[in-house]
Amino acid sequence: MGRSRFAGEPFSDDDATIAAMLEDVSIPTLMMSMMHMSGDYGLLDGDLRPQGSFINEIQGFMSPEDQAEVREAALQVIREYRDGGCAPVPPPDHGTVHRMMEFLVAEEIPADYVPLMLEELELDGVDARAPRRLEAIDTAARQDFPVVVIGGGMSGILAGIRLGQAGVPFTVIESDAGPGGTWRKNIYPGCRVDVGNHFYCYSFEPNEWSEFFAQHDELREYFENCADKYGVHENTRYSCSVTAATWDESTARWCVEVRNESGDVETLEAAALVSATGQLNIPKLPDIEGRDSFAGESMHTAQWVEGTELAGKRVAVIGTGASAFQLVPAIAPDTAHVDVFQRSAPWMFPSPHYHDEVPPGAQWALRHLPFYGRWYRFLIFWPACDGGFAAMEVDPDWPYPERAVSAANDAVREIFAAQMVAQVGDDSDLAEKVVPDYVCIGKRTLQDNGSWLSALTRDDVELITEPISRITPRGVMDDTGTEHEADLIVYATGFDANRYLWPMEITGRGGAVLAEQWGDEPRAYMGITVPNFPNLFIMYGPGTNLASAGSMIFHAECQMHYITECLAELIGGDNDAMECRQEVHDFYNDALQAELATMVWSHDSIRSSWYQNDSGEIYILSPWRLHKYWSMTKRVRLDDYTLSTVEPASR
């Protein structure tokens, strides 16, 4: 067994330097690494241990005295490890890994999570998610199976990486001038990720992030570097768009129509088509009377004009979702005045590190201490994702459904509401406006490090909750007849999340048109495959958006693993096409809808949400724990598909 790349780079720092570095680290994570360095797992039975877990709480609620004691003990372990040449020790067995998981987050974790954690840890130095089955297939067969990937963002780059590793020829079509997707398009002030970056990155490609929640430029650079490192750049056509794709049943090939920026059109042939366009790529402008009459500047956050002058401007921000939440604190100090128009207040959870840089000691630990980064990744995954899932599930016996969906949900509501009220001090009017009137976590929940409510308490920022009547040439008029003058209107109004693969025309078997088949109710088997559309695979498809927290990169890796398993069946088997069976698709989606009905997002108090279509129904969210989705996508059941072949002469 070789040295795992996550076992840390060898080091020779002196004791004083190491002691200084340990002041910046997560102590529970440090304890995990201590066991890897020493091979002594006695800490698991000691009294010195994390006391609990919560979203973004990285010290396990350990007292300062306990943290200091761990640092002192860790210095001795690290010294011996350093002096021994940083030699790796034998990895723990599966049972010990399970105990370590429970120790880290101070709660019971089902045993079936251990295989997931072992995959993440890579104790053996092997990327278990790499496309092994594809790599083992005859080279000529792989080369005769061209794949077209639509989109060069996070999912498209991942698809290119895995296809390249497998030796399958691919072409990525990206409408923008470079890779990065949402992190290339969204450049508004304050734009950053809202998932901890040490989880929001490819599992096989960690990064030395400068911040715990990186800003858009660092994220764009990360994806650009990944595309370059793994050879995706050279297989990507930028500033090109797929306008249509048609399945040719006689050849079992997709005919993909591509238009470049000059308007020239060509048709590419693909044995498989992978959509990596995402859900949040079509900016949604509100249907407000007079929107086109405004005489000043206006723009959607996703279409921010670089160099927009803010100094001395009166700015109207319409919306209080994730983008407004980031934008307003960033621009308020530079503007003359900001009016924020709120239709619905957002719930927020404590996130003290949201704007923080990763300190030198944490960077050092991530670089050098064995598996520190892997365990830190799990530490932020568990409480924010599967560990906190209970607060999102509806308890039908809960006696107070008007305020919460369960006792766990109500407890979270109390914590979040108290935190928010405390930040606005004696301003009871503002407190009434900012605490939501719907169940907690029922809509997208935002990171709270105090910046949003601090911005709203500024004298030059006003939160307006009266509905908007219309846009005028001079600004925004509310329902009371008050006109709020503006030089710039910013629409922080989200995306048209239910319009997948739009405006492309995707035509499948028998002339089925995907947009018509879906209408306003997009559905796919595990979000990936659709009846009537053979060899079409979707990443970040219907029913896969994570409202329960988590990382879309984790989900994308699950999806791409499943797709490569499908391709292995096609390339290495006797069939040219696979199409999801209608009854399998319907059974899965009935189960998905039934599960969604038991989740907080379907509560009656949620009167409007971007999770819903125009009829108030939800088709874009995943109700599954991340572990369940990981399990579902581990292998392909051929019985779920109709398989077919064509005569070799047809191609």
Side-chain angles (χ1 to χ4, degrees):
M1 179 186 295
R3 182 185 179 92
S4 171
R5 58 201 165 133
F6 297 124
E9 299 175 5
F11 57 93
S12 58
D13 302 86
D14 61 31
D15 289 7
T17 299
I18 294 170
M21 295 298 102
L22 295 183
E23 293 298 319
D24 293 337
V25 304
S26 160
I27 296 302
T29 312
L30 175 63
M31 297 176 82
M32 299 293 100
S33 188
M34 289 168 63
M35 290 184 260
H36 284 290
M37 283 184 277
S38 65
D40 180 3
Y41 298 91
L43 281 173
L44 298 174
D45 300 312
D47 294 330
L48 199 60
R49 60 178 50 237
Q51 299 301 303
S53 64
F54 194 71
I55 302 173
N56 296 324
E57 210 299 309
I58 64 172
Q59 300 299 355
F61 298 103
M62 296 177 71
S63 68
E65 294 76 17
D66 283 354
Q67 291 183 44
E69 188 174 343
V70 172
R71 289 190 186 95
E72 183 178 352
L75 183 59
Q76 177 62 29
V77 171
I78 295 170
R79 179 189 297 121
E80 294 176 0
Y81 176 72
R82 176 201 63 198
D83 294 346
C86 300
V89 300
D93 59 36
H94 293 193
T96 302
V97 169
H98 188 198
R99 293 181 65 206
M100 293 171 75
M101 294 166 68
E102 296 186 327
F103 180 91
L104 179 63
V105 298
E107 62 181 276
E108 291 185 6
I109 295 175
D112 56 9
Y113 277 74
V114 176
L116 168 58
M117 192 61 205
L118 288 170
E119 201 174 271
E120 287 273 322
L121 282 170
E122 284 193 29
L123 295 171
D124 57 2
V126 175
D127 179 3
R129 296 173 187 168
R132 305 285 177 214
R133 288 186 61 204
L134 272 175
E135 292 174 331
I137 296 171
D138 177 71
T139 300
R142 283 178 281 152
Q143 287 297 307
D144 191 38
F145 201 90
V147 177
V148 168
V149 179
I150 309 173
M154 176 274 291
S155 296
I157 293 169
L158 174 63
I161 290 171
R162 292 312 197 191
L163 291 169
Q165 290 173 329
V168 174
F170 68 95
T171 303
V172 178
I173 307 299
E174 169 54 46
S175 61
D176 218 330
T182 190
W183 302 116
R184 187 177 187 88
K185 297 179 187 298
N186 286 272
I187 61 170
Y188 59 84
C191 178
R192 67 176 66 230
V193 70
D194 57 4
V195 174
N197 257 120
H198 297 91
F199 187 35
Y200 188 82
C201 56
Y202 299 132
S203 63
F204 54 88
E205 193 64 35
N207 188 51
E208 293 191 5
W209 301 103
S210 67
E211 297 182 68
F212 288 106
F213 297 86
Q215 298 184 58
H216 64 86
D217 51 353
E218 187 172 10
L219 289 156
R220 184 191 69 247
E221 182 180 6
Y222 170 77
F223 290 111
E224 287 176 345
N225 290 341
C226 288
D228 187 53
K229 176 178 178 178
Y230 290 94
V232 179
H233 269 315
E234 60 203 57
N235 291 287
T236 302
R237 300 190 185 189
Y238 296 111
S239 301
C240 292
S241 300
V242 172
T243 57
T246 303
W247 175 252
D248 185 338
E249 200 159 356
S250 67
T251 62
R253 289 289 192 265
W254 282 97
C255 300
V256 185
E257 185 180 282
V258 179
R259 186 187 305 274
N260 65 21
E261 58 185 340
S262 300
D264 300 325
V265 177
E266 66 173 306
T267 299
L268 304 180
E269 182 184 271
L273 186 62
V274 176
S275 168
T277 60
Q279 292 185 6
L280 307 179
N281 63 332
I282 305 172
K284 187 172 187 177
L285 292 170
D287 185 16
I288 301 175
E289 179 185 345
R291 197 182 70 213
D292 296 333
S293 70
F294 181 59
E297 291 182 278
S298 64
M299 62 191 73
H300 191 280
T301 50
Q303 297 166 326
W304 186 267
V305 178
E306 195 166 9
T308 296
E309 182 59 54
L310 296 170
K313 297 285 185 68
R314 293 184 63 89
V315 181
V317 177
I318 297 177
T320 52
S323 55
F325 187 84
Q326 296 173 341
L327 174 75
V328 172
I331 68 172
D334 299 323
T335 60
H337 184 85
V338 180
D339 285 319
V340 182
F341 292 85
Q342 173 178 284
R343 182 177 64 174
S344 178
W347 279 107
M348 304 182 294
F349 59 84
S351 183
H353 303 297
Y354 191 44
H355 288 162
D356 287 359
E357 294 183 353
V358 179
Q363 294 280 23
W364 183 89
L366 288 159
R367 187 179 307 118
H368 295 296
L369 298 186
F371 302 102
Y372 180 93
R374 297 288 91 185
W375 285 110
Y376 184 77
R377 185 176 165 99
F378 182 72
L379 178 64
I380 59 178
F381 154 74
W382 180 255
C385 305
D386 289 6
F389 210 77
M392 302 164 204
E393 296 175 306
V394 175
D395 176 1
D397 298 322
W398 171 248
Y400 310 108
E402 70 283 354
R403 58 176 281 133
V405 299
S406 66
N409 182 262
D410 198 43
V412 171
R413 180 190 186 281
E414 290 292 333
I415 294 170
F416 290 3
Q419 175 103 350
M420 295 163 69
V421 170
Q423 291 180 52
V424 299
D426 297 329
D427 193 337
S428 58
D429 290 339
L430 182 57
E432 187 174 349
K433 290 180 179 180
V434 299
V435 176
D437 60 359
Y438 54 89
V439 294
C440 191
I441 327 178
K443 298 183 183 182
R444 183 166 181 185
T445 309
L446 306 178
Q447 306 267 1
D448 179 18
N449 68 338
S451 60
W452 172 250
L453 293 176
S454 293
L456 296 186
T457 59
R458 292 174 61 103
D459 292 338
D460 52 4
V461 175
E462 182 179 1
L463 180 65
I464 300 163
T465 56
E466 288 80 10
I468 295 173
S469 172
R470 64 182 185 274
I471 304 294
T472 71
R474 298 196 303 174
V476 182
M477 183 171 290
D478 66 37
D479 266 4
T480 69
T482 302
E483 185 177 39
H484 304 268
E485 294 187 11
D487 303 299
L488 169 66
I489 296 178
V490 180
Y491 294 100
T493 47
F495 300 85
D496 202 338
N498 280 276
R499 301 179 76 177
Y500 295 86
L501 286 88
W502 187 88
M504 293 174 279
E505 185 169 296
I506 311 296
T507 306
R509 180 178 54 80
V513 177
L514 187 59
E516 295 175 0
Q517 180 169 310
W518 275 345
D520 202 28
E521 301 177 0
R523 304 171 190 246
Y525 179 47
M526 294 191 291
I528 301 172
T529 60
V530 185
N532 299 319
F533 296 87
N535 296 14
L536 170 66
F537 304 99
I538 305 170
M539 303 183 72
Y540 197 7
T544 65
N545 189 67
L546 291 170
S548 56
S551 166
M552 286 311 309
I553 296 182
F554 178 91
H555 246 207
E557 290 194 26
C558 294
Q559 292 151 12
M560 195 58 208
H561 171 79
Y562 185 85
I563 292 168
T564 58
E565 292 292 291
C566 289
L567 297 184
E569 295 290 349
L570 290 169
I571 300 173
D574 299 324
N575 297 288
D576 297 305
M578 59 191 306
E579 176 189 337
C580 181
R581 291 167 51 200
Q582 187 71 52
E583 61 269 28
V584 171
H585 168 275
D586 292 350
F587 182 85
Y588 172 82
N589 279 283
D590 288 347
L592 183 141
Q593 287 297 317
E595 195 71 17
L596 281 170
T598 71
M599 304 299 291
V600 64
W601 318 300
S602 299
H603 192 268
D604 290 342
S605 66
I606 313 298
R607 292 179 290 276
S608 64
S609 165
W610 68 266
Y611 300 154
Q612 302 169 341
N613 65 9
D614 290 341
S615 302
E617 301 166 324
I618 299 174
Y619 291 94
I620 71 170
L621 296 186
S622 171
W624 316 121
R625 294 174 185 262
L626 294 195
H627 173 267
K628 182 176 179 64
Y629 192 73
W630 173 82
S631 299
M632 289 192 297
T633 53
K634 282 296 290 180
R635 59 189 56 86
V636 177
R637 290 162 39 99
L638 288 182
D639 289 347
D640 293 343
Y641 291 88
T642 299
L643 304 171
S644 59
T645 188
V646 297
E647 294 297 325
S650 299
R651 281 196 256 118

